[in-house]
Amino acid sequence: MYHGQKISLILPTYNEKDSIKKVIGDFERLGVVDEILVINNNAAAGTTEEVKQTTAREIPEPVQGYGQAIRRGLAEASGDLIVVCEPDDTFLAADLFKFLVFSEEVDVVYGSRTIRNYIWEGANMGRFLRWGNWFVAKMIEVLFNTNYLSDVGCTFRLIKRTALEKISPYLMVKSNFFGPEMMIRGYLLRLKCVQIPINYKDRVGKSSVTGDLKKAFTLGMKMICLIIAMRLGIENALIRYLDHHAEK
């Protein structure tokens, strides 16, 4: 609990068998998280056995997709403050307290992984990913007149229950370009949002997306197309097309 508010943590998982138990333990030890939901999105064999050794509740989501898994978690969470994070050990669980402090003043708090002082040695945030995220974030900033943004692909984020109820009916993306859609929908609904720098560490295992520069470039192009389409109000058909052709 935080100031009388129940906290739910959502961990979508696909290829994090070797890190998920540690990550859950890190959040458990903070002593403020009331509910941990692991959304098993056709995860690697052995993931369930790792989760069973923790207090987390595992929920299977058979429809493949990063966005689909997070949306399932958002639908299942019962907290007043809902936090989404990766179970790949790239984030520092203690950074949750930064999110909680800012949640006292805004509806949604997004993490940013691109601030140099917070990027740990060995983290997968080379120049291409760092400046690519920065560039796409600036597109959103300019086209939607938002406050300062420096990252579009960071999973670590917090949303209040009241804001989630407003934004949920509009979320459509099932695949891996869900992050910017949620950000833009929030700004269009005039939710109070802020982005804060967070620690970004080396990953346990290889990411199925950002560990491959070709896939990361393709994802970046999808995000750019989505942002332009949302600015023009023609995103529905594009999202259906991109989701349908998403890599399984």
Side-chain angles (χ1 to χ4, degrees):
M1 300 286 281
Y2 180 74
H3 292 181
Q5 300 174 97
K6 179 179 178 180
I7 299 175
S8 296
L9 172 67
I10 299 167
L11 298 171
T13 183
Y14 176 69
N15 189 27
E16 293 83 16
K17 176 181 73 69
D18 296 330
S19 58
I20 194 164
K21 179 183 171 184
K22 175 188 180 299
V23 171
I24 293 171
D26 289 344
F27 277 102
E28 288 173 334
R29 284 186 286 276
L30 296 180
V32 296
V33 179
D34 301 281
E35 175 184 61
I36 301 178
L37 304 178
V38 172
I39 309 303
N40 186 325
N41 198 207
N42 305 308
T47 302
T48 296
E49 287 70 22
E50 294 295 308
V51 175
K52 283 181 177 177
Q53 300 176 53
T54 72
T55 63
R57 177 163 66 96
E58 187 179 67
I59 299 169
E61 174 47 63
V63 178
Q64 189 67 56
Y66 169 83
Q68 180 70 23
I70 293 178
R71 287 169 57 195
R72 177 65 185 273
L74 294 173
E76 296 281 350
S78 62
D80 305 300
L81 302 173
I82 298 98
V83 180
V84 185
C85 191
E86 294 273 8
D88 58 6
D89 203 28
T90 51
F91 297 107
L92 201 62
D95 274 346
L96 173 61
F97 291 111
K98 298 181 190 174
F99 287 81
L100 294 175
V101 170
F102 278 91
S103 74
E104 296 176 17
E105 298 183 342
V106 299
D107 300 309
V108 191
V109 187
Y110 297 106
S112 173
R113 308 161 297 170
T114 63
I115 308 303
R116 181 179 298 172
N117 293 350
Y118 293 83
I119 302 173
W120 291 32
E121 185 176 353
N124 182 27
M125 189 53 71
R127 288 183 180 178
F128 176 75
L129 290 177
R130 184 179 174 216
W131 290 109
N133 269 289
W134 183 89
F135 173 77
V136 180
K138 292 306 170 189
M139 280 191 66
I140 296 178
E141 195 176 312
V142 171
L143 293 178
F144 294 90
N145 192 28
T146 72
N147 47 13
Y148 176 82
L149 295 173
S150 59
D151 192 2
V152 292
C154 182
T155 302
F156 207 173
R157 54 188 59 191
L158 177 152
I159 184 168
K160 290 181 177 176
R161 164 68 53 191
T162 50
L164 178 61
E165 290 173 352
K166 292 177 183 177
I167 200 173
S168 285
Y170 298 96
L171 297 175
M172 295 178 60
V173 174
K174 297 178 181 178
S175 55
N176 51 13
F177 55 104
F178 170 81
E181 187 208 14
M182 180 178 169
M183 296 174 82
I184 295 171
R185 301 282 187 208
Y187 283 112
L188 291 175
L189 290 168
R190 299 188 180 280
L191 300 178
K192 293 181 179 178
C193 309
V194 70
Q195 191 167 59
I196 62 172
I198 57 172
N199 291 282
Y200 193 56
K201 305 187 294 173
D202 191 10
R203 190 187 198 279
V204 175
K206 185 177 180 180
S207 168
S208 59
V209 178
T210 56
D212 183 317
L213 283 182
K214 183 179 178 182
K215 289 183 179 179
F217 177 78
T218 301
L219 174 58
M221 294 306 297
K222 288 179 180 178
M223 289 180 173
I224 289 172
C225 291
L226 173 71
I227 292 165
I228 294 173
M230 291 186 77
R231 180 65 282 174
L232 297 175
I234 56 172
E235 72 273 18
N236 291 3
L238 176 73
I239 291 173
R240 285 194 290 271
Y241 176 83
L242 293 178
D243 272 339
H244 180 73
H245 291 84
E247 187 172 338
K248 305 298 182 183

